[in-house]
């Protein structure tokens, strides 16, 4: 069958299982858009900005595990995808972006709307393609999907010159094995290393598991739990690992790192064995590397060999699929007990409880974001997909919402991209239409991509938006308060009337400023099934996320919430 | 402590691969002292030799990142294994009837040969390890080097230190290569 390049694009997408594409048209991609109506199997979502399309594809991918697809035109359309690609790259999210490009005959001539997008995105994609002939097209698209979803997932960009979209060729979808001799997506873990790991595990007295998103990606949730229980080993979570281990489990330490729990960070620092499972020792997790887990031997299991020994040198580094490797490790591992170690950890946990905001009698009547997230968690029964933006509210979601494998946290962790929340949440909701989705955003980040409200309305996407309005770029304000002598330069922010703004989009909205109003507002949002609903939570402006390990400090060197009182006016103890 | 590291890689012979490889050096601001790329006996596979001036951590970083590239087939850091290196230089030097024989004598010591001779200058070709080339260049300097070009270092492990361990697996790549050439 002879088809145009444009038709081949859709034919290939359908064969890769795609039924949803987020995009924005323009001249150089028009031939492909022109044939869209012949493919009713594909639903195209018109976003309001290409960044939104990229984040939606990413949010869709994170919520479903399938590849998310975004489409844009050449030049400015393509460069608008850049932030979204970098976000997907750092969090290993499988996204395929297809961009139009000027015709091959004028590439390199600074033609109208020409940008060297394969050059620009080279370091922020897992791989990319400039397709220069229509014969290559099907091969490239198939390879792109394979690369995006296999091994450690990541974004792939395909740049498609206009003449390649209009050229015609005989179409056969290749079905033979994909051959990339330099690409080994799933390395096999050598048995000898697994044996060495088992020996270290048997001799450890104070072990701790550091569980990352790799646990979720490899489907090792059950294996992790079995491992933790059989060896009585506490589990600390990374931000993106939230959901991979039950947070009400007695062995769960909660999140580690800069805004991790006291018990998680102390446990890591005092441990004699770290078991890093599908995580990458990000600096937000480790703090000062020179003093990180100084007494511990280390075992690192990750699917990406380049992560082994990258930030932290380890005694046993195993490159392989986590689920398989844990299964192999567990075979022949007898139950082990660590009662004394667990007792020590309990004391750290008790101290956290004492300092916990929600356990204190508050003197200030101002609503706290922590209360909002906590109540959202109880009112949704923990059964909502939470998608956040970046800032203080993001950390409060990590701290006060207990996640599960089916409802893991969706957030821009590695890149920390403000503006991810709303489009990310729309993508997640479109991927999981039966699930309750809560987008938690700050007043700052929300305004970066709020144009996507119109997309949510046009597509009638049921997302609940919890806007945490503290009148500041809160996380930056927090750094200024703690480390820059309260010079609040460029962080106070004047915002529009968010409820009126929502109304302008035809979105029902309520404003909440007292804790007693939370339940009714959340119930109203849940009852509104026709499309988006917004709740503006007006919260304490000068709140601080505790604990905090200052950037570059030792992990045990936490600034803790003072005991007694909301603490904002009191001295901060270290 | 900085050192010189010879890193060799087999890569698929496709557009854009060199750019990806070089980007890995550029990103942390590493200096790529020498880089050579050429075909091997298999047209679908190219071989690169990169000489990095840096620390051991730099070399490990480069190796790790090169391995992540989809079109890089194998990477080896030559340091620690016995290997041979060669560079080639062309040196155009001032030569008068009075100095010519002295220059030729020096070339003899370095097994260099004259590949072009004009009235007032000659072009000398020298092949060897980097110190040999630099040694000859140093000796020629007083006569007046007009211009000099070097091909860049190529390296290969000795005996059974073999980079190209994928040969058997490669017949498919040839097919793909032929297909792309035909299209
Ligand atoms: C695109 C982008 N620009 C800047 C930053 C730096 N930054 C991190 S958190 C933050 C403040 C976010 O403010 P807001 O959205 O109101 O959330 P809050 O911290 O108040 O909850 C800023 C500016 C960022 N992460 N991303
Ligand atoms: Mg704010």
């Amino acid at each position: 069958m002879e088809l145009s390049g444009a038709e081949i694009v859709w034919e290939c997408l359908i064969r890769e299982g795609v039924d949803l594409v987020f995009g924005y048209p323009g001249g150089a991609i028009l031939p492909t858009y022109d044939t869209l109506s012949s493919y009713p199997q594909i639903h195209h979502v018109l976003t309001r900005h290409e960044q939104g399309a990229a984040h939606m594809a990413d949010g869709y991918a994170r919520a479903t595990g399938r590849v998310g697809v975004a489409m844009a035109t050449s030049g400015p359309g393509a460069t608008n995808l850049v932030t979204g690609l970098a976000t997907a790259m750092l969090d290993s999210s499988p996204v395929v972006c297809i961009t139009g490009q000027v015709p091959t005959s004028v590439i390199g001539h600074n033609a109208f709307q020409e940008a060297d997008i394969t050059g620009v995105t080279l370091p922020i994609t897992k791989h990319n393609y400039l397709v220069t002939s229509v014969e290559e097209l099907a091969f490239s698209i198939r390879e792109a999907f394979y690369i995006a979803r296999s091994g450690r997932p990541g974004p792939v960009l395909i740049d498609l010159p206009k003449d390649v979209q209009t050229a015609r060729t005989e179409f056969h979808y290749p079905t033979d094995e994909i051959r990339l001799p330099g690409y080994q997506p799933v390395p096999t873990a050598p048995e000898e290393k697994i044996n060495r790991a088992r020996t270290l595990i048997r001799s450890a007295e104070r072990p701790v598991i550091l569980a990352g998103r790799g646990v979720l990606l490899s489907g090792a949730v059950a294996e992790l739990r079995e491992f933790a229980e059989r060896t009585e080993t506490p589990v600390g979570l990374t931000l993106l690992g939230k959901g991979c281990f039950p947070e009400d489990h007695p062995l769960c330490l909660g999140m580690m790192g800069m805004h991790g729990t006291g018990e998680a960070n102390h446990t890591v620092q005092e441990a004699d064995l770290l078991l890093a499972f599908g995580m990458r020792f990000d600096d937000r997790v480790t703090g000062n590397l020179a003093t990180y887990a100084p007494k511990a031997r280390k075992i690192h299991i990750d699917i990406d060999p380049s992560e082994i020994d990258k930030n932290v040198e380890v005694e046993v580094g195993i490159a392989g699929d986590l689920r398989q490797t844990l299964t192999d490790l567990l075979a022949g591992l007898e139950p082990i007990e660590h009662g004394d170690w667990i007792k020590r950890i309990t004391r750290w946990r008790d101290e956290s409880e004492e300092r916990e905001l929600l356990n204190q009698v508050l003197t200030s009547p101002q609503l706290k974001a922590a209360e909002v997230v906590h109540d959202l968690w109880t009112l949704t029964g923990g059964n909502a997909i939470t998608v956040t933006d970046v800032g203080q509210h993001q950390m409060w979601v990590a701290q006060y919402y207990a996640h599960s494998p089916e409802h893991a946290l969706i957030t821009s962790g590695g890149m920390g991209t403000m503006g991810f929340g709303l489009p990310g949440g729309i993508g997640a909701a479109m991927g999981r239409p039966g699930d309750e989705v809560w987008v938690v955003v700050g007043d700052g980040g929300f305004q970066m991509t709020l144009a996507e409200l119109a997309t949510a309305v046009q597509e009638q996407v049921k997302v609940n938006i919890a806007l945490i309005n503290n009148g500041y770029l809160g996380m930056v304000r927090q750094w200024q308060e703690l480390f820059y002598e309260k010079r609040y330069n460029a962080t106070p922010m004047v915002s529009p009337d968010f409820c009126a703004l929502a109304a302008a989009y035809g979105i029902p909205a309520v404003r909440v400023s007292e804790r007693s109003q939370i339940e009714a507002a959340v119930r109203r949002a849940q009852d509104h099934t026709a499309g988006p609903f917004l709740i503006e939570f007006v919260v304490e402006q000068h709140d601080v996320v505790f604990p905090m390990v200052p950037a570059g400090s030792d992990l045990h060197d936490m600034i803790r919430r003072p005991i007694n009182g909301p603490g904002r006016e009191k001295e901060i103890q270290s | 402590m900085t050192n010189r590291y010879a890193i060799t890689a087999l890569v698929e012979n496709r557009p854009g691969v060199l750019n990806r490889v070089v980007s890995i050096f550029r990103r942390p601001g590493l200096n790529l002292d020498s880089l050579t790329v050429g075909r091997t006996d298999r047209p679908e596979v190219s071989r690169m030799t990169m000489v990095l001036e840096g620390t051991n951590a730099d070399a490990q970083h480069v190796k790790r990142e090169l391995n992540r590239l989809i079109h890089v087939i194998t990477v080896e850091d030559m340091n620690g294994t016995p290997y041979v290196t060669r560079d080639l230089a062309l040196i155009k030097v001032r030569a008068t009837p009075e100095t010519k024989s002295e220059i030729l004598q020096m070339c003899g010591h370095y097994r260099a040969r004259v590949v072009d001779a004009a009235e007032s200058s000659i072009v000398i070709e020298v092949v060897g390890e980097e110190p040999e080339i630099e040694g000859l260049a140093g000796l020629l300097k007083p006569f007046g080097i007009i211009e000099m070009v070097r091909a860049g270092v190529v390296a290969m492990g000795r005996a059974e230190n073999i980079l190209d361990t994928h040969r058997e697996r490669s017949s498919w790549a040839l097919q793909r290569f032929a297909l792309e050439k035909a299209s």
Side-chain angles (χ1 to χ4, degrees), chain A residues 12-25:
Chain A
C12 291
L13 292 188
I14 290 165
R15 283 169 176 75
E16 292 297 334
V18 176
D19 53 12
L20 200 56
V21 172
F22 304 94
Y24 210 103

Side-chain angles (χ1 to χ4, degrees), chain A residues 454-469:
Chain A
T455 310
V457 171
Q458 183 166 351
E459 295 292 332
Q460 301 238 319
V461 183
K462 174 56 192 153
V463 279
N464 304 294
I465 302 160
L467 169 59
I468 309 294
N469 188 357

Side-chain angles (χ1 to χ4, degrees), chain A residues 390-393 416-418 442-445 448 470 472-476:
Chain A
V390 170
Q392 290 183 314
H393 65 280
T417 305
M418 282 173 72
D443 43 336
M448 284 197 169
N470 54 10
Y472 275 101
L473 298 174
M475 185 56 91
V476 181

Side-chain angles (χ1 to χ4, degrees), chain A residues 22 47 49-60 387-389 418-430 439 441 445-446 448-453 455 463:
Chain A
F22 304 94
T47 63
H49 190 292
E50 291 84 353
Q51 180 184 351
H55 289 327
M56 284 181 208
D58 185 353
Y60 172 92
V387 185
T388 79
D389 211 82
M418 282 173 72
F420 171 82
L422 177 62
I426 294 172
M430 296 196 79
V439 172
V441 289
F446 181 55
M448 284 197 169
T449 51
L450 64 73
E452 303 305 341
L453 286 175
T455 310
V463 279

Side-chain angles (χ1 to χ4, degrees), chain A residues 25-74:
Chain A
I29 193 74
L30 252 185
T32 297
Y33 271 91
D34 189 44
T35 55
L36 174 59
S37 46
S38 317
Y39 298 91
Q41 309 95 307
I42 299 230
H43 178 66
H44 180 271
V45 176
L46 176 66
T47 63
R48 296 301 180 271
H49 190 292
E50 291 84 353
Q51 180 184 351
H55 289 327
M56 284 181 208
D58 185 353
Y60 172 92
R62 295 184 201 221
T64 62
R66 297 200 292 271
V67 178
V69 180
M71 194 173 270
T73 191
S74 65

Side-chain angles (χ1 to χ4, degrees), chain A residues 149-298:
Chain A
R149 65 162 79 95
S150 58
R152 178 181 184 172
V156 180
L157 179 133
I158 306 168
D159 200 22
L160 213 51
K162 201 169 181 179
D163 54 323
V164 175
Q165 297 168 51
T166 51
R168 301 184 73 80
T169 190
E170 197 58 30
F171 174 68
H172 303 285
Y173 200 60
T175 51
D176 55 332
E177 190 197 344
I178 291 179
R179 292 139 171 172
L180 291 164
Y183 181 56
Q184 195 191 356
V186 187
T188 34
E191 201 184 314
E192 162 261 333
K193 288 201 172 175
I194 293 182
N195 291 337
R196 271 175 51 208
R198 229 187 264 121
T199 309
L200 288 187
I201 292 162
R202 285 197 184 107
S203 64
E205 290 174 0
R206 302 186 310 280
V208 58
I209 293 167
L210 322 181
R213 182 143 174 269
V215 177
L216 295 163
L217 291 177
S218 74
V221 169
E223 288 75 10
L224 168 65
R225 186 170 180 162
E226 173 63 26
F227 185 96
E229 289 177 349
R230 199 188 297 177
T231 61
E232 202 179 14
T233 303
V235 181
L237 304 170
T238 68
L239 178 65
L240 293 187
K242 283 212 70 191
C244 77
F245 190 74
E247 296 193 41
D248 56 358
H249 195 288
L251 287 169
C252 190
L253 300 168
M255 187 167 71
M256 306 173 287
M258 183 174 272
H259 295 295
T261 64
E263 57 269 32
N265 289 346
H266 284 308
T267 301
V268 169
Q269 290 301 79
E270 291 300 315
D272 68 352
L273 179 66
L274 300 194
L275 294 140
F277 293 164
M279 57 83 76
R280 60 184 178 91
F281 292 108
D282 183 88
D283 51 83
R284 287 312 193 241
V285 161
T286 63
N288 181 8
L289 280 175
T291 58
Y292 180 64
K295 303 165 191 168
R297 293 200 273 188
K298 290 148 191 124

Side-chain angles (χ1 to χ4, degrees), chain A residues 89 122-123 126-128 133 135 139 143 147 152 179-183 304-306 308-310, chain B residues 12 14 19-20 23 26-27 64-65 67-73 166 169 172 175-176 179 183:
Chain A
M89 181 70 176
L122 188 141
K126 187 172 172 186
H127 196 60
N128 64 24
S133 80
E135 286 79 19
F139 286 99
E143 249 178 48
I147 290 171
R152 178 181 184 172
R179 292 139 171 172
L180 291 164
Y183 181 56
D304 181 353
S306 78
I308 311 280
D309 287 333
K310 187 178 87 176
Chain B
E12 289 191 62
R14 293 189 185 220
N19 190 193
R20 290 174 199 277
S23 284
R26 177 198 53 79
R27 186 164 167 185
R64 264 200 306 270
E65 292 301 308
N67 267 315
R68 289 181 88 178
L69 295 179
I70 306 284
H71 292 321
V72 170
I73 302 167
H166 285 60
R169 290 219 256 136
W172 62 267
Q175 291 163 19
R176 169 80 192 261
L179 199 124
S183 70

